[in-house]
Amino acid sequence: MTAALRFDPIRLPPKCEELRKEVRAFLAEEMARGTFNPFKPNREDTDVPEFSRRVGERGWIGITWPKKYGGHERSFLERYVVTEEMRVANAPTRRFFVADRQSGPILLKYAPEHIKMDILPRICRGELCFAIGMSEPNSGSDLFAAKTRATKTDGGYLINGTKIWTSSAHIADYMIAIFRTSQPTKENRRHGLTQFLVKMKQPGIKVNPIGQITGQHEFNEVVFTDHFIPDDHVLGEVDGAWKQATSELAYERSGPERFLETYYVLTELVRAVGNDPDTRSAEGIGRLVAQLHTMRRMSVSVAGMLQAGKEPVVEASIVKDIGTVWEQQLPHRVRDLAAFVEETAGNRETLERQLDFAIKTAPKLTIQGGTTEVLRGIIARGLGLR
Amino acid sequence: MAESDNIVVETAEKIFADLADPQTINNDRKEAWKVPLWQALSEAGLPLAWVPDDLGGSGASLADGFALLNAAGRFAIAVPLAETMLAGWLLAQAKIGSPEGEMTVLPANPKDRITLNPDGSLSGRVRGVPFAKAAKHFAVLAHGAGGVSIALVDAGKTKIEAGLNVGYDDSDVVTLDKVAPITVKPAPKHLDQTTMMLIGGVARSLQIAGALESMLNISVRYSNERVAFEKKISKFQAVQHNLAKLAGESAAALAAATSAADAIANATAFNDEVYLEAASAKIRCAEAAEKGGAIAHQVHGAIGFTLEHILHRYSLRALAWRDDFGSESYWAVELGKLVANRGADELWPLVASR
Ligand SMILES: Cc1cc2nc3c(=O)[nH]c(=O)nc-3n(C[C@H](O)[C@H](O)[C@H](O)COP(=O)(O)OP(=O)(O)OC[C@H]3O[C@@H](n4cnc5c(N)ncnc54)[C@H](O)[C@@H]3O)c2cc1C
């Protein structure tokens, strides 16, 4: 087998440019209003419910979903533009982003109609926050080792066990989780997991905060004790979650959020260096910009292929692999280059504060959403090596 | 770009497959393959792809020509195809028709200069000119009192000091000592040495991307054949991860190069956005050549380090192509200056411009 990688030079259509302007204007308004400060990525309060609602009002959540569920039937490329502008501005998107990217599409595909009608419009209005319950204390990369049990009972299931590293569980209204409904088979160790919609803040669910090395609170441990989930909250095939969990990864892996998480330090470096840089700074900036531009071209290309109904699985994994490695290295390269920035640079303190936070953030970037090693395994499979 | 839907590329690929099979070429120390290959390419009108019909060329679009160069990179073609295409393109910018035979462009280095003297002759010493020794004519970009000019020069009128690049291809020093050109005309307003270097750089980027694609393919194939510790080496996770990284570098090169080619092919003006695309492609492809080439060699073990094996045809050329039309360090400095000059708040709008 030969690897035929495709990266068509896809351009964003003019519609996207209009939308980009609207998003920028909106974000400028929000900054003026004091909702968030783009120069402080480590802002104390990362959860701003009113911001989510206002984004929802603009029609920028569930942008590609059917209108009957509150969506806007716009293109995947338009969604792309909204995501990148939010990310570059350091906007507080945590409350709605998981639902927009992952949970909503899963519900669209696997939830019963009445649940879709109930939940999806509320996501689109920015009213709901979702968490993802995949990892467990002894099951991270090896998702299929998950043990938290869903035991069949009258009209539903009883859940017992623990999920961990669950981002936003402390503020989430719902979680989409996988639980063990039966034992793996000899032939298929992936068998036996089922996807469920979990309503949070219910009896039998306890959320314990876990601090992160950045000083922020995002992680949680979620303990289930005889928590009841009704039958109509089963998503898709019982025992068949593995098929569902692995089929839509391209959407999750190749977006702008996979290379822009530490972008702010680059802008601040350019500001600190000023408009007449020395050769060393110029070269450093030039290389980083060339790498960023290339990443983005790759990411837009994959978005365009998804929009066109293709399945660029390997390409998407490659974008996440090199994108996350890039955003992880970026703060360190900027730190290198910032070592000689003049004491008098007006934004020196801002840059230093940002670097401090970005350097602390960096280690997680190649772990969340699947580690580098796991991704490279997927790429290797795509190359015909396994 | 495995399958092509492009007639120019299809024609070229057929010729390359028939007459430039890498293994055959590699075994042929006397280089007997060069003449029939060049002949077939010329008969198909490919070296003058970028020259309009009325100037003696085949009038292919910029886009088709770039795709052709990507294919040439996949075969690591070592005849002055890219150079003749660039020379023909440059001459056509000043409405100068292209002669038959091999050509190359001068200068091929952004810091070198050729001067158009008041008496109409040309002077200058330029280094690293690809295939100067093989060329019958040079397309020259020169600076004079009246601005930028484009000239057609008989190679026999110049002094050529032969040299080889890292990939064992001709890379020569050319000296013009008051050489009278065959034709000289003013360049159109938009065209200066920077534009020419960027277009040359994009040509090289496409060749590098093509070479990396082949390096990935032959490395994957080899890892599925070679057995060590009673297993195919492709089953070792460390080897798989190395190949996944090579795929990443190959992908980055392909994305950057084809995007830049598309940007140039559709450009109405050579603005900052096109500059970003073209400079980035050269920078990122050069980085990919270094990182990706190292992995391809690692996977091949000692066999890939032999002259008998075809790997070096791709790896060394990709490394050599980094130097032509501005190295990655050169373009990084220039791009960094451009970005700094526009200011911090203009960086994202530039990156997100298309
Ligand atoms: C910021 C952040 C947010 C997260 N949010 C969520 C969330 O909301 N919901 C959720 O469910 N999870 C979440 N996670 C968890 C994340 O998905 C896991 O951390 C990840 O899948 C890795 O699992 P692990 O931490 O158990 O590490 P392990 O699986 O124990 O891996 C440890 C190391 O071993 C390597 N390794 C493991 N298996 C292999 C193998 N087969 N081959 C090669 N190397 C291997 C890994 O690559 C890694 O380097 C989050 C993680 C982070 C960092």
Side-chain angles (χ1 to χ4, degrees):
Chain A
M1 162 170 175
T2 59
L5 301 171
R6 275 203 87 93
F7 283 92
D8 302 335
I10 283 155
R11 306 292 171 198
L12 299 172
K15 254 199 299 200
C16 287
E17 289 318 299
E18 281 308 303
L19 178 58
R20 189 187 296 286
K21 279 188 212 144
E22 286 169 38
V23 179
R24 280 184 188 163
F26 167 79
L27 289 170
E29 249 171 61
E30 290 296 318
M31 286 175 219
R33 174 185 252 187
T35 311
F36 68 100
N37 179 348
F39 302 107
K40 274 195 183 173
N42 53 336
R43 57 198 176 266
E44 292 294 292
D45 182 16
T46 49
D47 177 38
V48 192
E50 318 82 69
F51 178 78
S52 302
R53 286 204 195 92
R54 287 194 290 268
V55 176
E57 270 167 33
R58 298 286 173 131
W60 295 335
I61 306 176
I63 206 168
T64 61
W65 306 350
K67 286 195 174 140
K68 78 165 173 172
Y69 302 124
H72 304 275
E73 300 183 6
R74 297 173 78 163
S75 76
F76 198 70
L77 294 172
E78 288 168 279
R79 182 179 173 279
Y80 188 93
V81 165
V82 174
T83 307
E84 69 178 1
E85 289 300 321
M86 296 269 175
R87 177 61 60 192
V88 161
N90 259 315
T93 58
R94 167 202 285 208
R95 186 168 264 272
F96 63 82
F97 191 65
V98 164
D100 181 65
R101 180 176 71 188
Q102 267 160 284
S103 316
I106 290 173
L107 293 175
L108 267 172
K109 208 157 174 190
Y110 301 111
E113 186 62 22
H114 70 278
I115 291 196
K116 288 200 246 190
M117 288 306 283
D118 170 30
I119 293 183
L120 292 172
R122 288 193 283 149
I123 294 180
C124 293
R125 290 199 298 269
E127 292 167 7
L128 295 182
C129 175
F130 272 70
I132 301 168
M134 300 263 220
S135 303
E136 295 185 13
N138 291 308
S139 160
S141 302
D142 184 8
L143 194 59
F144 308 112
K147 285 204 168 58
T148 298
R149 267 173 305 117
T151 316
K152 191 73 189 92
T153 183
D154 252 8
Y157 292 80
L158 285 179
I159 312 299
N160 282 286
T162 302
K163 290 289 172 186
I164 201 167
W165 318 132
T166 326
S167 303
S168 308
H170 58 301
I171 56 168
D173 303 285
Y174 288 95
M175 172 195 282
I176 290 182
I178 52 155
F179 299 125
R180 185 153 290 290
T181 33
S182 52
Q183 290 309 305
T185 60
K186 257 215 185 93
E187 304 75 50
N188 186 1
R189 67 178 291 270
R190 300 165 156 214
H191 175 83
L193 294 168
T194 304
Q195 213 163 20
F196 286 87
L197 174 65
V198 182
K199 189 157 193 218
M200 301 293 285
K201 298 166 191 140
Q202 297 291 311
I205 302 180
K206 189 158 187 298
V207 177
N208 304 314
I210 303 174
Q212 297 182 333
I213 62 172
T214 53
Q216 286 184 308
H217 171 207
E218 187 183 4
F219 277 165
N220 300 276
E221 177 195 59
V222 184
V223 184
F224 295 90
T225 320
D226 280 340
H227 169 69
F228 177 78
I229 298 184
D231 280 328
D232 64 358
H233 281 47
V234 171
L235 300 174
E237 195 186 320
V238 173
D239 291 341
W242 55 279
K243 281 182 237 155
Q244 293 160 221
T246 49
S247 72
E248 282 167 37
L249 292 173
Y251 290 92
E252 187 200 326
R253 296 223 153 113
S254 56
E257 72 274 18
R258 295 303 188 190
F259 59 94
L260 288 174
E261 188 153 340
T262 54
Y263 169 78
Y264 49 82
V265 295
L266 180 55
T267 316
E268 255 7 74
L269 174 68
V270 175
R271 202 184 312 284
V273 158
N275 55 17
D276 186 21
D278 61 82
T279 309
R280 182 178 179 276
S281 307
E283 193 204 340
I285 290 169
R287 279 193 188 246
L288 291 170
V289 170
Q291 292 157 358
L292 168 64
H293 165 78
T294 304
M295 278 309 317
R296 184 175 175 280
R297 295 307 324 155
M298 296 172 85
S299 178
V300 172
S301 182
V302 171
M305 291 190 268
L306 291 172
Q307 174 68 29
K310 296 180 193 157
E311 282 182 30
V313 177
V314 184
E315 286 85 348
S317 303
I318 286 175
V319 172
K320 187 186 177 231
D321 178 19
I322 66 176
T324 55
V325 168
W326 186 81
E327 64 181 1
Q328 181 170 74
Q329 288 173 346
L330 178 64
H332 300 285
R333 296 290 77 76
V334 168
R335 174 183 168 275
D336 254 1
L337 295 164
F340 298 100
V341 164
E342 298 293 337
E343 283 299 328
T344 52
N347 67 329
R348 201 189 160 93
E349 268 181 45
T350 306
L351 175 61
E352 279 171 3
R353 199 171 53 227
Q354 286 190 349
L355 272 176
D356 179 83
F357 183 71
I359 284 167
K360 287 175 183 151
T361 305
K364 74 164 184 169
L365 298 171
T366 49
I367 301 170
Q368 57 190 10
T371 66
T372 306
E373 289 76 12
V374 167
L375 279 169
R376 289 187 184 158
I378 294 169
I379 299 167
R381 190 183 306 281
L383 293 174
L385 301 173
R386 347 183 6 189
Chain B
M1 288 213 278
E3 83 283 13
S4 79
D5 34 20
N6 173 323
I7 182 82
V8 177
V9 175
E10 270 173 29
T11 310
E13 280 183 327
K14 179 149 192 340
I15 296 173
F16 297 151
D18 290 348
L19 298 170
D21 168 62
Q23 192 63 63
T24 315
I25 285 182
N26 201 44
N27 296 341
D28 176 8
R29 296 269 162 248
K30 291 192 181 126
E31 305 203 323
W33 53 272
K34 276 196 177 171
V35 174
L37 174 62
W38 186 259
Q39 211 167 350
L41 291 171
S42 301
E43 275 160 22
L46 298 175
L48 298 185
W50 276 335
V51 176
D53 307 330
D54 58 345
L55 292 173
S58 45
S61 66
L62 272 174
D64 283 355
F66 280 131
L68 164 59
L69 290 174
N70 189 229
R74 287 199 291 276
F75 285 83
I77 287 305
V79 291
L81 175 63
E83 293 72 13
T84 306
M85 284 170 64
L86 286 165
W89 171 83
L90 183 65
L91 293 170
Q93 299 310 299
K95 305 264 180 295
I96 302 174
S98 283
E100 273 185 27
E102 294 89 337
M103 292 194 283
T104 192
V105 281
L106 314 183
N109 179 323
K111 298 227 161 157
D112 285 352
R113 284 232 154 191
I114 291 179
T115 308
L116 177 62
N117 303 311
D119 66 0
S121 68
L122 297 164
S123 297
R125 182 168 190 270
V126 293
R127 299 158 301 141
V129 179
F131 291 105
K133 203 156 61 82
K136 299 190 172 54
H137 293 94
F138 297 144
V140 179
L141 188 132
H143 293 84
V148 182
S149 297
I150 294 168
L152 176 65
V153 168
D154 179 349
K157 298 264 169 70
T158 67
K159 186 176 150 230
I160 298 170
E161 297 159 63
L164 291 176
N165 67 18
V166 172
Y168 296 105
D169 290 332
D170 292 338
S171 175
D172 312 311
V173 181
V174 180
T175 309
L176 283 70
D177 184 11
K178 299 218 160 170
V179 171
I182 299 171
T183 320
V184 59
K185 287 189 187 172
K189 261 211 185 68
H190 63 269
L191 199 142
D192 60 13
Q193 188 157 326
T194 303
T195 330
M196 187 182 106
M197 290 301 137
L198 284 170
I199 289 176
V202 171
R204 285 294 188 254
S205 301
L206 288 157
Q207 290 174 284
I208 291 174
L212 276 164
E213 207 174 324
S214 294
M215 282 190 256
L216 174 62
N217 282 332
I218 63 179
S219 302
V220 165
R221 201 184 320 141
Y222 183 72
S223 76
N224 276 325
E225 288 163 0
R226 176 70 172 168
V227 172
F229 301 96
E230 294 164 6
K231 285 205 275 191
K232 290 179 186 173
I233 59 167
S234 63
K235 298 300 161 206
F236 292 107
Q237 197 177 48
V239 174
Q240 292 178 354
H241 287 196
N242 260 343
L243 288 170
K245 279 163 73 179
L246 169 55
E249 293 305 309
S250 173
L254 183 67
T258 51
S259 183
D262 175 74
I264 289 179
N266 294 301
T268 44
F270 217 89
N271 54 17
D272 284 0
E273 285 80 21
V274 180
Y275 190 102
L276 168 73
E277 293 260 13
S280 295
K282 190 71 199 297
I283 296 165
R284 191 62 186 85
C285 288
E287 292 176 348
E290 178 188 326
K291 289 192 203 160
I295 294 172
H297 275 281
Q298 188 73 17
V299 170
H300 277 86
I303 188 82
F305 196 61
T306 64
L307 273 181
E308 271 64 36
H309 198 281
I310 58 169
L311 177 59
H312 73 280
R313 296 194 63 80
Y314 304 95
S315 63
L316 293 183
R317 263 187 198 104
L319 293 177
W321 287 331
R322 293 178 303 173
D323 296 328
D324 301 333
F325 307 105
S327 70
E328 66 273 31
S329 318
Y330 173 82
W331 285 118
V333 170
E334 295 302 306
L335 180 59
K337 283 186 196 160
L338 176 111
V339 165
N341 206 268
R342 287 171 57 105
D345 296 323
E346 289 304 311
L347 172 56
W348 178 249
L350 176 66
V351 171
S353 62
R354 48 183 77 226

